Amino acid sequence: MRLDRTELWLLASGVVLALGVFVLPNWLTFLLTIAFAKGLVVQGVVVQMRAGLVSFGQGLYYCIGGYTVGMGGQWLGVHDAFVLLALSMVAAAVVAMVLGLLLTRYREIFFAMLTLAFSMILYGVLAKSQSLGSTDGFNVHGITALGWTPGSSGKMFVYVLTCGIAAVAAVFLHRLSKSSVGYVCEAIRENEVRVEYLGASPRWTLYSTYVLAAAVSALGGGLTGMATGHVDPEMAYWTTSGEFVFIALLGGIGHVAAPFVAASLFSTVRTYAIQFVPHSWQMILGFVLLGIIIFLPKGLWSLFKRTRKAEARV
Amino acid sequence: MSQTPILESRSLHRTFGAVVAAKDINVAIHAGEVVGVIGSNGAGKTTFINMVTGFLPPSAGEIMFNGRSILGLAPRKITRMGMARSFQVAQLFPELTVLDNMLVALSIAESPLPSFLRPLRTPERVEKAEATLKEFGVAAFRDHQVTAVPQGTRKLVDIAMALIANPKMLLLDEPTSGVAVEEKFPLMDSVMEVVRRHGVTVLFVEHDMEIVARYVSRILAFYAGEVIADGPPDQVLDDAKVRELVVGHGHGGHGRARRSS
Ligand SMILES: Nc1ncnc2c1ncn2[C@@H]1O[C@H](COP(=O)(O)OP(=O)(O)O)[C@@H](O)[C@H]1O
Ligand SMILES: [Mg+2]
C-alpha cells in the first residue's frame, strides 16, 4: 500500500497529536479525545453528504457504538478496547444493513427525516429500558488493551487510541473519496439518472456507503463511551445528531481532515462559550452557522482553498 | 444483415393521461444500420427512446434487444447489455471536470460495483478517457468543469460518455439541439465518424432534414406517437404524409390544422 502526500500528512498528524499526551494538559487531551471521536461520527455524515444525502440521525450509530462498548463490558465480559470497537462497528453495520434497505429509497428531506425518526426510536427504546439505566444510561469501565490494563492512565490511553484510529480512518476515507465509489457518490449527487444510465446502481452505491458511514460513526460512539466512562440515550437524541450536521457544515466536504478540525473548533468554542456566556451559547452557535452558510457555503475548508488559489494566481 | 434485429419493438403503446405518446410502434433495426428519427416536437421520439432504454414502462407492447425481451429491465441493465444513449439536454455531472465525467463513465463500464479503495484516476483509465475525448475533438476541455464548457462540447461529452462503454447500439436524442446552426454539421461529422469507426448501430433523432439526409440509411418518421413512414431517406422524405405532417411543419407542434386539399 503506497501512501500519497495527504495520507502521510494525516498519519504524521496522528502521531504528533498522540505524542502530545506527554505534554498537553489533561483537560486538553480530554477535549481533543471527544472532539476527534465526534469527528469520526461527522465523517459518517460527510461521506453521505458527498452523495447528496444529509443524515439527521447519525446519533443512532454514535449511540449504538457507545452502548455496544458499554454492554460488551457489562454483559459479555469483553473489556479489550479493540474488540469492543470492532463489535461496535459490526453492530452498527448490521443495523445499517437493515435500515439502509428502506432509507436508500428516499432522498433529500425524506431521507433526513427518516434517519432522524430511526434515531429517535432508539432513544425512546433506551430511555424506557430499566436494565440499561433508562435515561441515566450506565457507566463504562475496566477498559483494557491487548491484555494491558491502563488503570489510572485510562484517559490518556483512550486519547492515544483515538488519535490513532482517527488518523487511520482519515487515510481510509481519503482513499474512499478518491476511489471509484467516492466519485460515483458525487456523480449521484449531481445526476442520479445519468449514473443509472451509465450502468451502475445508485441505490446499491448509496446503500454500501450508508453502511460504511454507520460503521465509522460507531467508532466515534465507542471511543466517546470509553473516554467519558458513561453512555446514555442522549447520544441518540436529535440534538446530538444536529450537532454532527452542524460540525459537518462547519468543516465542509472539501478535505478529509475537515471534520476533525471543525469538531475541535466546535468543542473549544463551546467550552469557552459555556464558561463566559452560559445562557447564550446556543445563540453564538446560531450566528456561526448563519455566517458559514452565507459566507462559506463549502465550509471552513474553503478558506484554505481560497488562499491557496489566490497564491497560485500571483 | 443478420436475421435477428438488434432492436425490435412490437406494438409499443404509451399514454400520459389523455396524451398518446406512442401508438402501435413496430420497428426492427438491424446491426450496422444508421437510422434517423424525424418528427415535430411532441411526436413521441424521446418517449420511444425512454421506453426502449427502460426509463419509461410502456403501457403495452414488447421490446427485444438482440432477440431477448428487455421489457421491465432497469436502464442500467439494458446499458450493460450494450445499449447506450445520449440525451436531448446533455446529462452530465456539472461539478466534476470533463475528464472526471469520462472517468466515472469508464469506471462504471468496467465494473458495475465500483471499487471503494482503488482510485478512480488510474493511468490506464485517464489514457483511455483522453483518447475518447480526442476522438470527439474536445480534449482541450479535459480539466474544465462541465458548467464552464460550451453547449456543443457538453453534447459531445454526453455522447462520448455513452460511447466509452463500447455499446453495440447507440441512441442519440437530438445530438445537435441547443447547438448553433453553423456548429451542427461539424458536430455531427465528428460524432458519425467516431461512431462508424466503432461499428456501432445508431439511431438518432434530428429535426433538421438536411442533417438527417446526409448521414442515415433509413428514416423513421414519427407523428402523434405513430410511425407514419419507415424507409430509405429519399422515399420517406418524398412521402406525401411525411411532407404534410412532418417536413412542412418544421419545429412547430403537431396539432396544427392540416392543409386542406
Ligand atoms: N413524463 C411525461 N409526462 C407527461 N407527458 C409526457 C411525458 N413525456 C412526454 N409526454 C408527452 O408525450 C408526448 C411526446 O413527447 P416526447 O416523446 O417528448 O416528444 P418528442 O421527443 O418527439 O418531442 C408529448 O405530448 C409530451 O407532452
Ligand atoms: Mg424529444
Side-chain angles (χ1 to χ4, degrees), chain A residues 180-181 184 195 198-201 204-205, chain B residues 76 80 103-116 118 120 125 164-165:
Chain A
S180 293
V181 161
V184 171
V195 171
L198 289 174
S201 162
W204 168 252
T205 310
Chain B
R76 65 172 181 280
R80 304 221 137 261
L103 292 174
V104 167
L106 183 55
S107 138
I108 293 176
E110 284 170 7
S111 156
L113 300 176
S115 165
F116 277 85
R118 266 193 71 208
L120 176 78
R125 275 197 201 125
I164 204 162

Side-chain angles (χ1 to χ4, degrees), chain A residues 178 190 194 196-197 199, chain B residues 53 76 79-80 95 120 158:
Chain A
K178 302 283 176 215
E190 300 280 296
R194 184 65 198 242
E196 167 87 31
Y197 261 114
Chain B
T53 54
R76 65 172 181 280
T79 302
R80 304 221 137 261
E95 294 247 323
L120 176 78
D158 189 70

